[in-house]
Amino acid sequence: MDATRMCALLVGLPEVTIVDVIDHDNYLLVTITTPGPASACCGVVHRHGIREVVLVDLNSFGRSTRLAWRKQRWRCTACGRTWSDENGEIGSPRCALTTRAARWATVQVGQRGRAVSDVASDLGCGWHCVMDAVVAVGEQLVDDPDRFNMVNALGLDETLFARVRPFRQQCWSTQIVDVRRGQLLDVVPGRSSTEPCRWLAARTDAWKASIDWATLDLSTSYRNVFDTMLPRATQVADPFHVVRLANTALDECRHRVQNQTVSHRGRRHDPLYRAQRRLTIARERLSDDQHEKILGLLRCGDPHQEVWFAWNAKEVVRQIYDHTDPDLAVEWVAAISRDFVDREMLFEVRRLGRTIAKWARQICAWHRSRVTNRPTEAINNLVKRVKRVAFGLTNFRHYRVRCLLYAGKPNWDLLPTIQP
Ligand SMILES: [Zn+2]
């Protein structure tokens, strides 16, 4: 077997001729050419010079590798059109990586969730080379129209995706989730109703008609999205957010009583400060000792039993989700809406009661739909992992493509057909 053929086998690209292999200090430089004018033209086609592009390739035998592609330029004598050799399987214009390296980098960053800097150092190239390739390949994977099919329960959830200088201003994004399958459908910028509405408007009517349940946190903007775009779907308030609201009311009450009784923020030996963690634990998960401890701490730090009251209110709200019978749940929520807003009640509890009354329909709908927020939570964890690996992302486009590759269940079987 001749040497050129052996080289070609090692390089493993279709229809290329290996011209040269040079050992540089940091990398191996493999020079290749591709055969003949791929396309004919109206007249006689002549050679019109050579242009060499250098691409980052997969490592060979543990060494960084560069592929120098000597592209022949061609010119038609009749019309004067010029063009160069192209082969999408080797590399694409505007991508610094070879096609196979770009696909590999997309798997590493998108599927395995590795850091871009990590992959870049493996290949011996810059961060931007890798990220641009991941975007070029990844966007085709995540924008594949068959990535998700009909959805029965759609959820919207806000997430903080970045804090940007100079004032660490918060940048929000909205996750659109299939809450039954636990698939991240898309990520859109902002947490207002504008972008989710635009996203839903781009879907087909049949797709929108298949949605029976629409889950949301207790935010008016998402309610507007569903009211305008999915009027047929039943809105469901996310249990996690309802319970969190009750915990916030308890927290605010504790802060207020703390300030009124000792007139400073909580310190290590203050009874209310010491009760802080235990108060958020669910009642049924408290041991008898812990329960006694809370009561003791509240006796010391809560002279008018206000925190004790807010704590019980929180537990009453949590009990909404103990009910298995939808009708009983409706009664329970109605009782909360009625009792909590009583004049005698604490300010924090009254406010909690008003919010629950406002969202009563959505809160009770959960008992019929049984769409849990657990898939959304799981997706949030995946997204958090993406953010942690990247040490924070500030570019929304990069953020979207990385989240969707990691949590959006793209069809990875399509990868061999995708060129950057
Ligand atoms: Zn021509």
Side-chain angles (χ1 to χ4, degrees), residues 177-238:
V177 180
D178 177 346
V179 279
R180 289 252 192 250
R181 292 197 195 90
Q183 182 183 18
L184 182 62
L185 301 181
D186 215 330
V187 186
V188 292
R191 51 175 172 172
S192 68
S193 58
T194 331
E195 289 294 329
C197 278
R198 190 177 299 166
W199 189 88
L200 281 167
R203 307 276 87 77
T204 61
D205 286 339
W207 191 85
K208 278 181 278 191
S210 73
I211 298 171
D212 291 329
W213 308 101
T215 68
L216 69 170
D217 54 8
L218 306 176
S219 89
T220 330
S221 50
Y222 293 158
R223 181 154 79 173
N224 290 340
V225 173
F226 292 139
D227 282 345
T228 50
M229 301 308 295
L230 301 171
R232 209 189 59 83
T234 310
Q235 297 173 13
V236 185
D238 187 16

Side-chain angles (χ1 to χ4, degrees), residues 4 7 16-21 30-34 68 70:
T4 330
C7 264
V16 298
T17 314
I18 316 295
V19 182
D20 200 4
V21 180
V30 180
T31 309
I32 61 160
T33 57
T34 37
R70 277 195 196 148

Side-chain angles (χ1 to χ4, degrees), residues 41-43 76-81 83:
C41 200
C42 49
C76 168
T77 45
C79 65
R81 183 173 78 95
W83 70 94

Side-chain angles (χ1 to χ4, degrees), residues 250 279 286 291 294-295 298 307-315:
L250 167 61
L279 284 171
L286 286 174
H291 189 226
I294 289 182
L295 293 182
L298 290 185
V307 178
W308 180 84
F309 208 87
W311 179 47
N312 280 304
K314 185 261 288 184
E315 288 301 321

